[in-house]
Amino acid sequence: MGKKAVVIGAGIAGIASAVRLAKKGYSVSVIESNAYAGGKLTSIQLGNYRFDAGPSLFTLPHLVDELFELHGKDPRAYFDYQKLETLCHYFYEDGTVLHTYADREKLFREVREKLDVDSQPLQEYLEHSAYLFENTRHSFLEKSLHKFSTYLSRDILKTVSSMRKLNLFDSMHAVNHKRLNHPKLIQLFDRFATYNGSNPYHAPGVLNSIPHLEFGIGSFFPKEGMHQILTACVKLATDCGVAFHLNERVTAIETDRKKVKGVTTEKEFYPADVVISNCDVKQSYRQLIPAQKAPQKTMNQEPSSSALIFYWGIKQVFPQLDVHNILFSENYPEEFKAIFETQSVYADPTIYIHVSSKVVPQDAPEGHENWFIMVNVPSDQGQDWEALRLQVREQCIRKINRILQTDIESLIETEDFLDPVRIAERTNSFAGALYGASSNDRMAAFFRHPNFSKINGLYFAGGSVHPGGGIPLCLLSAKITTDLIANS
Ligand code: FAD
């Protein structure tokens, strides 16, 4: 009988960790407090409408495929996805509508025609984005930054030798302002800071590597919507012998002389040689190992942004919209200053509308659409979210009506919402942050909490630890963490 491992939480990093530990010969139990697996990566059903509740942008799909291949299985037997030819539709207040495409020539033509500028700076910008990604991914994203051996690797030497060109000392916005030749393009690329819950005016320019994921490697979408990533991974884990215990909250990680012994839940004690906590790292220290001295640097890190999300079943089809759409703001409304200009949240109440029924028709009844409307907001610091939600909803309606020339409220058939308090309650994420800590200073992006702890046998995986939030980084986090663990 191999050794036992417990994973606390069935978020995507928890499930990926379980799959990887099963391969290492561990007998793995995943303990999840919700009645469902997935954490932030889940679905909402409202009548005949299905919504992706959280993530909607899917990049680096090979990181999901890798989990299946690790066990000698064909990923396509579990789930499939398509590459999106149109990446996003961007709407501006002056009536400009810019479509971004995977095809470079089509993209550059669109920029020349719609913005009336030379596309050469954009071409160079995207090449630079690729350079930033390629020169940082092996050292910053795929390894533990907290192990001495990482600093002896050839990859880190490559990164160090290119340090000068990595824009570590300028903000994302400063670099975008310098490199791009149109305010609309600057705004468009500044927005990539929000992909990890940060502010482009504070986050380091090296994070301009993020657009390369979408524009260079590609944006993808699962054939049945984002939840298919989850259902496929849960099925894989189950096929590999992982046991899921749902509806069961872990209340403590048990230790003996600095060595993990197992976990206690509301129901029983699970002995374990290895424990991986997929629970937010701040909550892990507070709730599960309160006697352990928590690292102050981690506890004091600014949370990433959170979000207000409205799920609307719409009684009409809008041909102007695609699966991903962004409605930019130019005039920053006075009434929103109080909401957005705190905690370094990007002071731009841009609206993101995700319509999965554009590619998954069964997500909405015929002649209808499922709208996921998201506005980035600060994490929960005790704001009056009921009042703020109603204000933001009103603002969204006014803006959508203006830009799409419609009366959207009359078309809403059914609705629900998510706010930072609900996100915190449903995923145990500190302050409802979407991506753990923000990357709003030069080093925060790279020195998140390590994937291991001072307690022998206790590890961390997920969006709140290295290398960060978002599905691809969570999957890398599971890989880095389990690579630190010996075979059973
Ligand atoms: P989480 O999803 O945070 O799950 C942690 C799990 O642990 C939860 O199920 C929780 O119930 C469980 N848990 C916690 N404590 C305990 C305990 N004590 N006992 C038992 N179980 C416990 N990412 C992208 O890549 N693309 C996007 O477009 C994108 N958009 C997003 C939009 C929204 C609205 C949200 C909310 C997130 C978005 N993200 C996106 C981020 C992405 O969803 C997260 O980074 C990722 O899903 C986090 O996974 P995780 O493994 O860290 O765990």
Side-chain angles (χ1 to χ4, degrees):
M1 185 63 188
K3 291 181 179 173
K4 285 190 165 66
V6 164
V7 177
I8 305 170
I12 189 65
I15 298 166
S17 300
V19 166
R20 289 182 176 278
L21 284 178
K23 179 67 189 171
K24 283 179 174 267
Y26 285 83
S27 158
V28 191
S29 297
V30 177
I31 306 177
E32 166 59 53
S33 55
N34 287 326
Y36 54 89
K40 298 183 182 81
L41 175 53
T42 185
S43 241
I44 290 183
Q45 189 75 35
L46 290 178
N48 292 327
Y49 295 91
R50 190 204 68 85
F51 299 85
D52 293 319
S56 53
L57 293 152
F58 182 34
T59 53
L60 303 183
H62 71 276
L63 295 174
V64 182
D65 287 350
E66 218 173 84
L67 295 173
F68 297 86
E69 285 153 4
L70 186 70
H71 286 271
K73 300 198 187 273
D74 173 12
R76 296 296 77 78
Y78 287 79
F79 93 123
D80 206 357
Y81 50 83
Q82 63 184 84
K83 187 169 180 188
L84 298 178
E85 292 310 319
T86 303
L87 304 175
C88 192
H89 289 176
Y90 293 93
F91 298 81
Y92 298 83
E93 287 278 4
D94 64 2
T96 307
V97 183
L98 187 77
H99 311 292
T100 52
Y101 300 107
D103 182 279
R104 286 285 164 96
E105 279 319 309
K106 221 169 147 190
L107 171 71
F108 297 147
R109 196 178 324 120
E110 174 79 358
V111 164
R112 286 193 299 270
E113 284 172 7
K114 296 282 179 65
L115 303 182
D116 197 21
V117 287
D118 181 8
S119 56
Q120 184 66 22
L122 176 61
Q123 186 171 341
E124 286 166 15
Y125 179 84
L126 293 176
E127 282 162 13
H128 183 62
S129 179
Y131 173 87
L132 293 175
F133 182 74
E134 291 305 331
N135 280 278
T136 52
R137 74 183 174 120
H138 295 301
S139 36
F140 288 154
L141 299 181
E142 293 172 2
K143 292 195 174 78
S144 172
L145 283 180
H146 307 84
K147 290 281 178 192
F148 185 62
S149 56
T150 301
Y151 295 90
L152 301 177
S153 72
R154 201 181 289 194
D155 295 322
I156 207 95
L157 291 177
K158 190 173 155 204
T159 304
V160 169
S161 64
S162 55
M163 208 67 132
R164 215 172 33 85
K165 292 194 218 150
L166 294 184
N167 304 131
L168 279 169
F169 302 99
D170 297 313
S171 71
M172 286 176 83
H173 173 77
V175 175
N176 292 343
H177 191 262
K178 196 158 71 191
R179 285 183 165 265
L180 293 163
N181 56 347
H182 196 288
K184 286 187 169 60
L185 289 177
I186 296 170
Q187 189 177 27
L188 192 158
F189 285 97
D190 273 0
R191 203 177 169 278
F192 281 87
T194 65
Y195 280 34
N196 74 0
S198 304
N199 180 334
Y201 291 89
H202 299 281
V206 65
L207 292 184
N208 286 322
S209 56
I210 299 173
H212 178 64
L213 301 184
E214 196 171 297
F215 285 84
I217 301 170
S219 181
F220 299 82
F221 203 72
K223 288 266 160 72
E224 293 174 20
M226 294 298 283
H227 74 132
Q228 204 187 0
I229 301 172
L230 173 80
T231 50
C233 289
V234 169
K235 175 145 189 352
L236 170 68
T238 310
D239 289 352
C240 300
V242 171
F244 284 86
H245 304 265
L246 302 178
N247 265 323
E248 195 166 343
R249 175 172 290 278
V250 173
T251 50
I253 296 168
E254 308 294 350
T255 59
D256 183 19
R257 275 167 287 170
K258 294 276 174 201
K259 163 105 186 69
V260 84
K261 274 196 329 188
V263 307
T264 302
T265 73
E266 292 153 331
K267 295 180 186 160
E268 58 185 289
F269 170 70
Y270 290 78
D273 304 284
V274 163
V275 171
I276 297 184
S277 182
N278 175 224
C279 163
D280 182 295
V281 69
K282 286 189 188 180
Q283 306 293 51
S284 295
Y285 277 104
R286 287 203 169 101
Q287 301 167 353
L288 307 179
I289 35 173
Q292 177 75 19
K293 192 171 173 333
Q296 279 319 300
K297 212 171 89 207
T298 300
M299 303 310 270
N300 294 338
Q301 263 181 341
E302 181 189 49
S304 78
S305 57
S306 185
L308 277 172
I309 301 120
F310 304 98
Y311 307 93
W312 292 346
I314 298 285
K315 288 185 278 183
Q316 192 176 304
V317 169
F318 282 81
Q320 309 94 306
L321 297 183
D322 205 336
V323 61
H324 303 304
N325 313 275
I326 285 166
L327 275 49
F328 276 121
S329 295
E330 253 163 45
N331 299 317
Y332 183 60
E334 272 306 307
E335 63 193 284
F336 279 91
K337 282 219 158 103
I339 310 178
F340 296 97
E341 286 191 348
T342 57
Q343 290 183 266
S344 324
V345 165
Y346 187 21
D348 179 7
T350 284
I351 301 172
Y352 167 68
I353 307 180
H354 166 57
V355 191
S356 73
S357 60
K358 290 285 182 199
V359 280
V360 190
Q362 62 270 29
D363 280 354
E366 208 180 329
H368 297 61
E369 290 187 335
N370 65 341
W371 285 21
F372 160 113
I373 296 131
M374 174 165 145
V375 176
N376 294 302
V377 298
S379 60
D380 179 36
Q381 308 294 319
Q383 298 93 319
D384 180 352
W385 287 111
E386 168 80 9
L388 294 177
R389 174 168 56 81
L390 295 176
Q391 257 189 64
V392 171
R393 185 180 180 282
E394 186 55 37
Q395 172 75 8
C396 288
I397 284 174
R398 268 191 269 136
K399 191 176 177 74
I400 290 166
N401 286 348
R402 207 164 52 234
I403 289 187
L404 299 182
Q405 295 289 300
T406 185
D407 170 15
I408 200 65
E409 192 143 30
S410 67
L411 299 174
I412 301 174
E413 190 169 66
T414 176
E415 72 175 299
D416 200 357
F417 71 92
L418 207 55
D419 65 12
V421 174
R422 283 192 173 183
I423 293 169
E425 281 167 3
R426 292 180 190 181
T427 65
N428 199 13
S429 298
F430 179 77
L434 300 192
Y435 304 94
S438 77
S439 297
N440 283 337
D441 73 55
R442 205 178 305 141
M443 296 328 283
F446 305 109
F447 290 101
R448 288 165 170 264
H449 191 284
N451 304 87
F452 55 90
S453 74
K454 290 196 171 139
I455 298 170
N456 213 337
L458 174 62
Y459 298 85
F460 297 98
S464 64
V465 294
H466 179 71
I471 296 171
L473 297 198
C474 285
L475 291 169
L476 287 170
S477 163
K479 184 166 192 298
I480 294 168
T481 304
T482 50
D483 281 352
L484 297 171
I485 300 171
N487 286 349
S488 166

